[in-house]
Amino acid sequence: MFRFDVIIIGSGLAGFTLALHLADHQRVALITKKNLLDGASSWAQGGIAAVLGNGDSIDEHIHDTIISGAGLCDENVTRYVAEHGKEAVNWLISQEVPFTKDETNPTGYHLTREGGHSQRRIIHAADATGRAIQETLSEKILAHSNITVFEQHIAIDLITGKKLGLDDNRCYGVYVLDTSTGTVKTFSAQNTILATGGAGKVYLYTTNPDVAAGDGVAMGWRAGCRVANMEFVQFHPTCLYHPHAKSFLITEAVRGEGGLLKLPDGNRFMPDHDERAELAPRDVVARAIDFEMKKRGLDCVYLDISHKPADFLISHFPNIYARCLELGIDITREPIPVVPAAHYSCGGIMTDLQARTDITNLYAVGEVAQTGLHGANRLASNSLLECIVFAKAAAQDILNQDKVSEQFLPEWDESRVTDADEEIVIAHNWGELRRFMWDYVGIVRTNKRLQRAQHRIKLLTEEIDEYYQNFRVSNDLIELRNLVLTADLIVRCAMARHESRGLHFSRDYPAMLPHAENTVLQPQI
């Protein structure tokens, strides 16, 4: 058994921030199922929204967030995050993150604007902010003697008092598969943090990396945590459309800097859908693109910023420029073909202002959590901010705890299972799940589509559970088990919401109800 003070599951910005805030005082295990930089945080292009001066205000940031969240944002949480925004950015600056400078700006940094924001408040590192942050912090993670990194390790299930037959509601640790050896290890700690990211891989088309399989939400639900607002899946409006481009995002900042969405004939269409045109929130833009594509039978639409000076585009969007050029698209001369793709989960495990879940000593931080910040639609560049603010809050709460006695944890029992005979079952179920989720639980939903999805999820769940009970676990089996459960939670939340709000649009319930309510699911364990 591996004993630590803290177990952090996930190596994105939430996990890194927590580890660095705790490591001077506690022994930290950082568990990541692939390599250290493979999470969604590294893929974030746009930046971090924070009030850094320049005529901006906390109240304006709060207002923009609440408007984007379609009435479902928790105002206390939103204010808490907005008020800690500058502190979060200053912490990253103190860690020597290389944000893009601008000597003409009083802050000393270039601030860009994205859809839904009334001000330029997005601090960034060119168009690869996430990568710059994660590479900077990873050096400090690897150099710290109190942090032990476990790469190629995927968490299977949390170990709770209820599972051990104890009369408490505590989390004691986690069972983890070492995918390099195929052995299951037992990790014990006073505190466990889920920082596993989102669930984009539940959909056929996504901007997320392959690791985004809904692991944390599924583990938390099985352990007894409430889950909320899973129906609010954000589809990023502009994912590069090209047969050789996999999950390549075209950042919101391209529209923020003047990019225009156009039909194949060169005509704009966003002014017909919203007065904010290209700067409308993501849900509005994604639905508008989806509408135009379905109406006209298009494979994609086009994002055109070629009217801007070439040197401006190359300096502000170097990675997008380079990647597009590799595929034969010169963004300084021609528009970029784009389609919407599943991007971000606004729902998740319910947490409080210290990132605590319903289970004692279990925290959830980042995309895996439902904090109340994003409501029915996340405002652009609030996600990285949320990771830092709540990671620090969780760290402070953990450091204020009294030490408790360790609990003996039983080893993983695989005495009644065998090696899988036909792993094609996993691949087939994976493909089927992702396709019907895209077809039936996508940008526009109906009761009939949701019912079809629910029926197929029931059949898949039975098949996957039988497989799980009879064969040794593997990375793909663990992810598939988590994905089908996450898909079920998304559909259950969507069927419970009898209105259209934010990211959830139903043809059967096109109006928005006068009073906003969270969709809360309570596990029966």
Side-chain angles (χ1 to χ4, degrees), residues 434-449:
R434 297 182 69 203
R435 183 165 291 280
F436 74 64
M437 284 296 289
W438 182 261
D439 290 340
Y440 299 147
V441 199
I443 296 173
V444 177
R445 300 161 181 171
T446 67
N447 289 343
K448 185 167 285 189
R449 289 176 186 175

Side-chain angles (χ1 to χ4, degrees), residues 280-419:
R282 288 175 177 174
D283 61 320
V284 176
V285 180
R287 273 201 304 277
I289 295 173
D290 183 70
F291 175 85
E292 296 293 343
M293 287 173 58
K294 285 183 168 64
K295 176 183 175 183
R296 303 171 191 275
L298 304 175
D299 292 326
C300 65
V301 296
Y302 295 87
L303 180 58
D304 191 359
I305 196 167
S306 61
H307 51 278
K308 289 282 188 176
D311 57 350
F312 173 86
L313 297 180
I314 294 168
S315 64
H316 278 73
F317 307 111
N319 291 283
I320 293 174
Y321 173 75
R323 181 62 177 138
C324 287
L325 206 57
E326 287 175 6
L327 300 169
I329 304 164
D330 184 349
I331 70 170
T332 68
R333 297 175 178 270
E334 58 192 317
I336 307 165
V338 294
V339 290
H343 181 59
Y344 190 88
S345 300
C346 288
I349 297 169
M350 295 186 72
T351 59
D352 63 12
L353 281 176
Q354 285 73 46
R356 295 177 293 206
T357 70
D358 293 330
I359 296 175
T360 306
N361 301 114
L362 178 67
Y363 297 77
V365 184
E367 193 173 349
V368 68
Q370 198 284 118
T371 63
L373 173 65
H374 305 309
N377 180 23
R378 175 177 68 88
L379 182 65
S381 290
N382 268 353
S383 52
L384 295 182
L385 174 64
E386 180 186 44
C387 287
I388 304 166
V389 171
F390 280 98
K392 183 177 181 183
Q396 289 174 336
D397 193 64
I398 289 168
L399 292 173
N400 288 334
Q401 290 177 12
D402 294 327
K403 190 79 172 174
V404 297
S405 58
E406 292 182 348
Q407 177 70 34
F408 172 78
L409 304 182
E411 291 187 0
W412 180 257
D413 181 11
E414 54 180 31
S415 60
R416 290 165 291 183
V417 298
T418 61
D419 290 325

Side-chain angles (χ1 to χ4, degrees), residues 120-397:
R120 285 182 170 267
R121 66 167 67 96
I122 317 300
I123 189 169
H124 61 100
D127 62 347
T129 306
R131 173 66 62 174
I133 294 170
Q134 292 301 92
E135 287 180 347
T136 302
L137 298 186
S138 68
E139 293 178 5
K140 300 179 184 299
I141 292 285
L142 293 171
H144 205 295
S145 60
N146 254 3
I147 301 174
T148 306
V149 176
F150 293 87
E151 292 184 313
Q152 311 301 325
H153 283 65
I154 180 171
I156 305 171
D157 262 327
L158 299 167
I159 305 170
T160 62
K162 287 185 178 179
K163 290 185 179 180
L164 295 174
L166 303 175
D167 188 24
D168 67 18
N169 192 35
R170 267 190 64 196
C171 180
Y172 289 94
V174 62
Y175 290 117
V176 177
L177 173 68
D178 179 347
T179 55
S180 65
T181 64
T183 57
V184 177
K185 301 174 180 178
T186 306
F187 282 76
S188 168
Q190 177 164 335
N191 290 288
T192 302
I193 295 96
L194 296 171
T196 53
K201 296 300 283 188
V202 79
Y203 286 98
L204 187 60
Y205 301 111
T206 177
T207 64
N208 290 178
D210 287 337
V211 294
D215 302 314
V217 169
M219 283 190 289
W221 174 262
R222 287 193 295 265
C225 293
R226 287 173 301 157
V227 166
N229 293 353
M230 292 296 291
E231 71 271 37
F232 298 120
V233 179
Q234 189 171 73
F235 290 82
H236 198 287
T238 53
C239 186
L240 179 62
Y241 178 75
H242 191 280
H244 299 137
K246 182 183 178 184
S247 305
F248 189 75
L249 177 70
I250 305 298
T251 175
E252 196 99 6
V254 172
R255 285 183 285 122
E257 293 295 342
L260 303 174
L261 284 163
K262 297 180 178 180
L263 299 169
D265 62 8
N267 286 320
R268 292 175 66 193
F269 57 88
M270 277 309 303
D272 297 333
H273 292 269
D274 193 280
E275 62 183 10
R276 293 164 291 187
E278 280 79 7
L279 289 177
R282 288 175 177 174
D283 61 320
V284 176
V285 180
R287 273 201 304 277
I289 295 173
D290 183 70
F291 175 85
E292 296 293 343
M293 287 173 58
K294 285 183 168 64
K295 176 183 175 183
R296 303 171 191 275
L298 304 175
D299 292 326
C300 65
V301 296
Y302 295 87
L303 180 58
D304 191 359
I305 196 167
S306 61
H307 51 278
K308 289 282 188 176
D311 57 350
F312 173 86
L313 297 180
I314 294 168
S315 64
H316 278 73
F317 307 111
N319 291 283
I320 293 174
Y321 173 75
R323 181 62 177 138
C324 287
L325 206 57
E326 287 175 6
L327 300 169
I329 304 164
D330 184 349
I331 70 170
T332 68
R333 297 175 178 270
E334 58 192 317
I336 307 165
V338 294
V339 290
H343 181 59
Y344 190 88
S345 300
C346 288
I349 297 169
M350 295 186 72
T351 59
D352 63 12
L353 281 176
Q354 285 73 46
R356 295 177 293 206
T357 70
D358 293 330
I359 296 175
T360 306
N361 301 114
L362 178 67
Y363 297 77
V365 184
E367 193 173 349
V368 68
Q370 198 284 118
T371 63
L373 173 65
H374 305 309
N377 180 23
R378 175 177 68 88
L379 182 65
S381 290
N382 268 353
S383 52
L384 295 182
L385 174 64
E386 180 186 44
C387 287
I388 304 166
V389 171
F390 280 98
K392 183 177 181 183
Q396 289 174 336
D397 193 64

Side-chain angles (χ1 to χ4, degrees), residues 412-468:
W412 180 257
D413 181 11
E414 54 180 31
S415 60
R416 290 165 291 183
V417 298
T418 61
D419 290 325
D421 50 1
E422 290 186 336
E423 295 205 4
I424 187 64
V425 174
I426 296 176
H428 174 80
N429 287 350
W430 184 290
E432 182 183 347
L433 173 68
R434 297 182 69 203
R435 183 165 291 280
F436 74 64
M437 284 296 289
W438 182 261
D439 290 340
Y440 299 147
V441 199
I443 296 173
V444 177
R445 300 161 181 171
T446 67
N447 289 343
K448 185 167 285 189
R449 289 176 186 175
L450 294 175
Q451 288 164 2
R452 286 173 179 159
Q454 190 175 52
H455 175 68
R456 283 159 175 78
I457 287 170
K458 184 176 183 294
L459 296 175
L460 278 184
T461 300
E462 292 171 355
E463 197 168 300
I464 293 163
D465 283 349
E466 181 185 8
Y467 198 95
Y468 181 81

